[in-house]
Amino acid sequence: MPTAAAGSTGRAAVPLLQCALLAFGSTYVLDDSDGLGREFDGIGAVSGGGATSRLLVNYPEPYRSQVLDYLFKPNFGASLHILKVEIGGDGQTTDGTEPSHMHYTLDENYFRGYEWWLMKEAKKRNPNITLMALPWSFPGWLGKGFNWPYVNVQLTAYYVMTWIMGAKHYHDLDIDYIGIWNERAFDINYIKVLRRMLNYQGLQQVKIIASDNLWEPISTSMLLDSELLKVVDVIGAHYPGTCTVTGATLTGKKLWSSEDFSTLNNDVGAGCWGRILNQNYINGYMTSTIAWNLVASYYEQLPYGRCGLMTAQEPWSGHYVVESPIWVSAHTTQFTQPGWYYLKTVGHLEKGGSYVALTDGLGNLTIIIETMSHKHSVCIRPPLPYFSVSHQFATFVLKGSFSEIPELHVWYTKLGKPSQRHLFKQLDSLWLLNSSGTFTLELQEDELFTLTTLTTGSKGRHTLPPKSQPFPRSYKDDFNVVDPFFSEAPNFADQTGVFEYFVNTEDPGEHRFTLRQVLNQRPITWAADAHNTISIIGDYTWSNLMIKCDVYIENPEKGGVFIAGRVDKGGVLIRSAWGVFFWIFANGTYRVTRDLAGWFIYASGHVDVTAKKWYTLTLTIKAGLFL
Ligand SMILES: *[C@@H]1O[C@H](CO)[C@@H](O)[C@H](O)[C@H]1NC(C)=O
Ligand SMILES: *[C@@H]1O[C@H](CO)[C@@H](O)[C@H](O)[C@H]1NC(C)=O
Ligand SMILES: *[C@@H]1O[C@H](CO)[C@@H](O)[C@H](O)[C@H]1NC(C)=O
C-alpha cells in the first residue's frame, strides 16, 4: 500500500538520498527538467490474423455491446487506443480465414466479414481510436499463379488502396496506418509504390508501418535507402521481448511492438501484459504495444485458444469473461492518451519490476509501476533482461513541473492467489502536500500501481452475463436470411476457403437460400491452408452424433463435397485434421476417410451422383467407434 514518506525538509539531495536508502529502499526521481522522452502512441489489440473475432459478431444483444464496451469504451475497461484489423485475404491466418473485398479480378465488395462492423463499433465508443490494417493472406489472382503478393506491385498496392478507400466510402472509417505483409517478406519497391499510390489518391494522412516482422532487415534497408526511410513512418516489430536493435533506433523513427502478448488470458498472461506494457518502452523505446489478440472469440480448441484480452466464445449462451488483461490494460490506457510523452526518467526497480511516467505536457502526470514476477511473465518470447522480483520499498521523488502536485489518485492490481487478488481497484489518494513531492511505496510481487493526477478512471461494470453453456446438442440452419448483416452464417468458422450466404434467385424452392463456397482459386497463403475447403461448427468432442446436410456440386470436372464430424484440428493445423469425412464426387464415387487430406480411406465405391443436382448427405457417428 502506498504510504507518504516523511523525509525531505528541503535539504540537499545527498543526505535525503542516503536517508531514503536506509529507511525506504531505493529512490527514483521523476523529472521533466531535462526535457521529455518519446511521444506515446497508444495501446491496442489485433482483430484477425485470423478470424479471432468470428464468434463475437453472433452474440445476442445486450451481451455483444457489453463486450465491445469492455474493449473500447473510454474510462470503462481496456479502453483501447488502437484497433488493428486484418485485411481479409481468403486464406487461413491462424484461427480461420477472413474474406477478401476482392475474391476475383474486378470483384469488389466492402460488406464481407465483420472487421468493418468491428471498426465502426470501436469508433462509436471512442471516436479518437487509431485504426490500423494489415494483410496476412491475399486472394490468389494477385499472385498470377505464384504464392507471392509482389508479382505485380502496382496491382497489390491498388488492392490495398481500394480497401482503404472502401473503408472511407462505405463505412466512413479513416484508416490511420497501413502495414505491408504480416510476418512475411517485404518488397522495397512495393512499399514505395504503395506510398505513391496513396498520395495520388489523396491519402497522404495514411501512415505506413513496416514490416510487422523482426526489427531487421527492415531497419537496415531503411538506413541504406533514403526514399524507403522517408516513406516508412513507423517500424513495427512482433514479439520483440521488450528489446530493440541499434539499426532500428538509428533510423530515428517511431518504434512499435505491433504484435505482442499472445498468451493465455489468465493471471499469467495478464502479468506478461503488464510487464511488456512498461518494459517495451523502458528496454526498447517502443511507444505503442498491440496485443494479439483483441478478444478470444473463436472455438477454444483452435490454436492459441483464449489468447485474447478477454473471452467471448459462446454466442449461443451469451456468456463471456472479462479476464484480467482487460484490467491490466486499464492501468495504462485510462490514464494516458496518444500524444502524451514518456518522461526520460523511467527504468527498472532495484528488486525487480519497473516504472514509467507519462505527461500530457499540461501538468498531468501518470506513473505506472509493475512488479510482475518471472513466473507470471511467460511471454511467447520471454522479455530480457530477466529480473526476479522481491518485496521492496521504492521511494519516488517528483521534480520539475511535478514537484508541486498535491494529490495522486491510486489504482491497484494484485494478481495471483484469489484471497489476495485485486483487479483495478481504486485506493485512497496519496497526498503529497507536506512531502516535497516524495512518497514511498511498499511493493510485493505481481502488483501494478497507477498513480495519476487524472480523476477520470473507472472500473466499468455491466450486469453479469448468462452462465456458460456447451454448444447446443441440436442445431439447424437453413440459411434462409433475407439481406443478412454479415456475409457468413452464425457459428460457422471457415478454416480453408470462404463460405458465404448465397441466394439462388433461379431456385424458387427449398434450396433458394444457401451457404456457398466462393473461392475459385487457392489464395496467396499465409499459413498451411488445406487443399479442400472446410468450415467448422459445434464441438469436436461430441459422440453419438448425426450430421445431415443438403449439398450441391457446382463443378462437373473435379467437383466434390463432404460433411464430417469429430474434426479434431483447425486453424494453422487444419491440413492435418482427422475425424470422419464422408465425401461424394461428381464422377459418381463416394468415400469415407479418416483425414481431411483423404489418404486414410475407411470405405469407397460408386454411387449415383452428378454435378448440378441437390443431394442430402447424412453421417452418423457412434460413440467410440472412430476414437
Ligand atoms: C478525442 O480527442 C480530443 C482531442 O485530443 C479530446 O478533446 C476529446 O476529449 C477526445 N474524445 C474522447 C471521446 O476521448
Ligand atoms: C490535466 O488534465 C485535465 C483533464 O484533461 C485538465 O483539465 C487539466 O487542466 C490538466 N492539468 C492539470 C495540471 O491537472
Ligand atoms: C473421382 O474424383 C475424385 C476426386 O477428384 C478422385 O479422387 C477419384 O479418383 C475419382 N474417381 C474416379 C473413378 O475417377
Side-chain angles (χ1 to χ4, degrees):
M1 300 293 123
T3 45
S8 170
T9 52
R11 278 176 292 149
V14 173
L16 170 65
L17 192 66
Q18 284 175 349
C19 162
L21 275 172
L22 282 173
F24 301 114
S26 298
T27 297
Y28 310 93
V29 173
L30 302 176
D31 190 0
D32 62 350
S33 328
D34 186 28
L36 296 171
R38 291 187 177 218
E39 185 181 3
F40 174 69
D41 298 306
I43 304 302
V46 190
S47 169
T52 54
S53 307
R54 177 65 193 96
L55 297 174
L56 176 64
V57 307
N58 304 129
Y59 262 71
E61 292 294 353
Y63 311 116
R64 187 172 69 175
S65 290
Q66 293 174 358
V67 171
L68 293 163
D69 286 348
Y70 284 113
L71 296 170
F72 299 117
K73 197 171 165 182
N75 298 310
F76 191 86
S79 307
L80 296 171
H81 306 136
I82 299 174
L83 171 61
K84 173 173 171 177
V85 304
E86 173 174 354
I87 298 181
D90 296 339
Q92 170 59 251
T93 51
T94 300
D95 287 296
T97 71
E98 297 197 28
S100 171
H101 62 295
M102 291 186 167
H103 293 314
Y104 331 104
T105 328
L106 303 181
D107 170 49
E108 258 183 280
N109 182 324
Y110 299 90
F111 296 92
R112 292 181 186 136
Y114 34 82
E115 303 295 2
W116 310 109
W117 165 81
L118 185 65
M119 286 189 279
K120 284 188 283 188
E121 292 295 324
K123 206 90 189 169
K124 221 188 266 177
R125 287 165 176 80
N126 176 7
N128 292 343
I129 199 164
T130 299
L131 296 177
M132 302 176 65
L134 175 66
W136 268 249
S137 68
F138 295 85
W141 61 274
L142 284 174
K144 299 182 182 294
F146 294 91
N147 197 41
W148 189 244
Y150 308 126
V151 172
N152 179 340
V153 293
Q154 305 276 347
L155 195 60
T156 299
Y158 172 80
Y159 167 83
V160 168
M161 182 272 292
T162 56
W163 189 93
I164 297 170
M165 301 281 284
K168 182 64 186 174
H169 187 82
Y170 296 98
H171 304 284
D172 197 23
L173 292 166
D174 292 297
I175 304 303
D176 300 292
Y177 292 88
I178 185 73
I180 308 304
W181 187 14
N182 182 68
E183 292 174 7
R184 294 291 180 269
F186 60 88
D187 178 292
I188 291 174
N189 193 34
Y190 167 73
I191 300 175
K192 293 174 182 172
V193 167
L194 177 64
R195 177 74 272 162
R196 280 202 289 276
M197 203 173 286
L198 292 174
N199 291 352
Y200 186 74
Q201 292 294 334
L203 296 168
Q204 287 85 353
Q205 75 285 359
V206 179
K207 297 193 173 77
I208 291 183
I209 177 166
S211 66
D212 282 290
N213 202 348
L214 305 176
W215 293 117
E216 296 289 11
I218 185 68
S219 300
T220 298
S221 303
M222 287 167 66
L223 292 171
L224 294 174
D225 183 330
S226 59
E227 192 193 340
L228 182 67
L229 184 70
K230 208 166 136 227
V231 301
V232 174
D233 297 282
V234 175
I235 303 182
H238 286 195
Y239 305 96
T242 78
C243 296
T244 188
V245 300
T246 312
T249 53
L250 283 177
T251 63
K253 295 285 175 173
K254 284 176 177 292
L255 310 180
W256 289 11
S257 176
S258 51
E259 190 182 312
D260 215 324
F261 178 61
S262 192
T263 306
L264 193 66
N265 59 21
N266 58 14
D267 278 9
V268 177
C272 163
W273 184 231
R275 181 178 187 125
I276 61 185
L277 287 185
N278 266 18
Q279 299 205 14
N280 274 346
Y281 182 72
I282 298 165
N283 303 341
Y285 312 108
M286 284 164 262
T287 52
S288 171
T289 296
I290 299 174
W292 187 87
N293 55 66
L294 174 71
V295 53
S297 278
Y298 42 101
Y299 290 106
E300 191 169 341
Q301 298 94 343
L302 288 170
Y304 306 98
R306 274 187 56 203
C307 284
L309 296 179
M310 64 180 285
T311 307
Q313 57 189 18
E314 289 184 20
W316 47 87
S317 71
H319 178 72
Y320 63 82
V321 188
V322 183
E323 314 275 7
S324 40
I326 291 289
W327 303 118
V328 167
S329 307
H331 271 273
T332 299
T333 55
Q334 291 198 14
F335 308 106
T336 58
Q337 289 298 324
W340 283 45
Y341 280 82
Y342 282 101
L343 268 55
K344 284 183 180 167
T345 49
V346 300
H348 296 276
L349 299 171
E350 190 188 55
K351 293 190 174 168
S354 69
Y355 63 99
V356 294
L358 299 102
T359 181
D360 61 354
L362 305 169
N364 279 303
L365 177 70
T366 290
I367 307 163
I368 305 144
I369 300 158
E370 60 82 22
T371 57
M372 296 306 162
S373 63
H374 185 207
K375 68 176 185 291
H376 278 173
S377 306
V378 190
C379 300
I380 191 167
R381 283 189 200 135
L384 294 168
Y386 293 111
F387 286 93
S388 66
V389 179
S390 52
H391 173 246
Q392 61 190 310
F393 290 91
T395 297
F396 290 87
V397 185
L398 306 187
K399 292 198 169 164
S401 324
F402 313 115
S403 58
E404 307 279 295
I405 287 174
E407 178 188 8
L408 289 170
H409 305 277
V410 184
W411 293 82
Y412 175 67
T413 286
K414 166 112 182 145
L415 302 174
K417 286 202 199 87
S419 59
Q420 305 167 349
R421 197 160 172 262
H422 292 287
L423 293 173
F424 198 55
K425 181 181 178 199
Q426 186 164 20
L427 305 180
D428 287 341
S429 283
L430 178 61
W431 291 93
L432 295 160
L433 291 174
N434 296 313
S435 75
S436 302
T438 301
F439 62 92
T440 298
L441 299 180
E442 179 176 3
L443 302 170
Q444 312 283 349
E445 68 173 20
D446 301 324
E447 288 179 333
L448 196 48
F449 282 94
T450 299
L451 300 102
T452 179
T453 55
L454 294 185
T455 53
T456 42
S458 81
K459 186 169 183 180
R461 201 165 71 181
H462 285 296
T463 51
L464 280 181
K467 282 210 187 68
S468 173
Q469 301 277 354
F471 194 93
R473 291 290 307 191
S474 172
Y475 188 85
K476 183 178 157 83
D477 194 341
D478 59 9
F479 312 119
N480 190 342
V481 193
V482 184
D483 205 10
F485 193 76
F486 294 105
S487 54
E488 298 150 305
N491 304 326
F492 279 92
D494 299 351
Q495 300 301 316
T496 291
V498 173
F499 292 80
E500 289 175 359
Y501 282 120
F502 175 69
V503 181
N504 183 4
T505 47
E506 282 158 28
D507 190 330
E510 59 172 328
H511 297 121
R512 187 177 172 84
F513 296 96
T514 66
L515 197 65
R516 185 188 202 189
Q517 205 303 113
V518 296
L519 299 196
N520 59 9
Q521 195 179 0
R522 190 174 170 79
I524 297 173
T525 55
W526 183 81
D529 295 54
H531 288 279
N532 299 300
T533 65
I534 177 171
S535 189
I536 60 168
I537 186 167
D539 187 333
Y540 87 100
T541 63
W542 279 336
S543 49
N544 290 320
L545 67 149
M546 190 194 57
I547 303 154
K548 196 168 156 189
C549 190
D550 289 1
V551 299
Y552 182 93
I553 301 170
E554 291 189 67
N555 181 352
E557 305 297 321
K558 296 182 294 183
V561 63
F562 68 88
I563 59 173
R566 305 200 60 127
V567 176
D568 70 341
K569 287 189 199 71
V572 287
L573 305 173
I574 187 63
R575 263 217 263 206
S576 54
W578 280 25
V580 182
F581 298 80
F582 173 28
W583 317 67
I584 55 169
F585 300 105
N587 62 12
T589 60
Y590 79 93
R591 229 179 251 173
V592 181
T593 70
R594 185 171 192 163
D595 58 335
L596 176 60
W599 291 108
F600 298 91
I601 300 172
Y602 289 128
S604 64
H606 290 272
V607 63
D608 185 17
V609 165
T610 62
K612 315 252 180 235
K613 240 181 114 177
W614 282 96
Y615 297 96
T616 301
L617 292 186
T618 306
L619 174 63
T620 304
I621 302 175
K622 298 223 168 103
L625 192 57
F626 294 104
L627 288 179

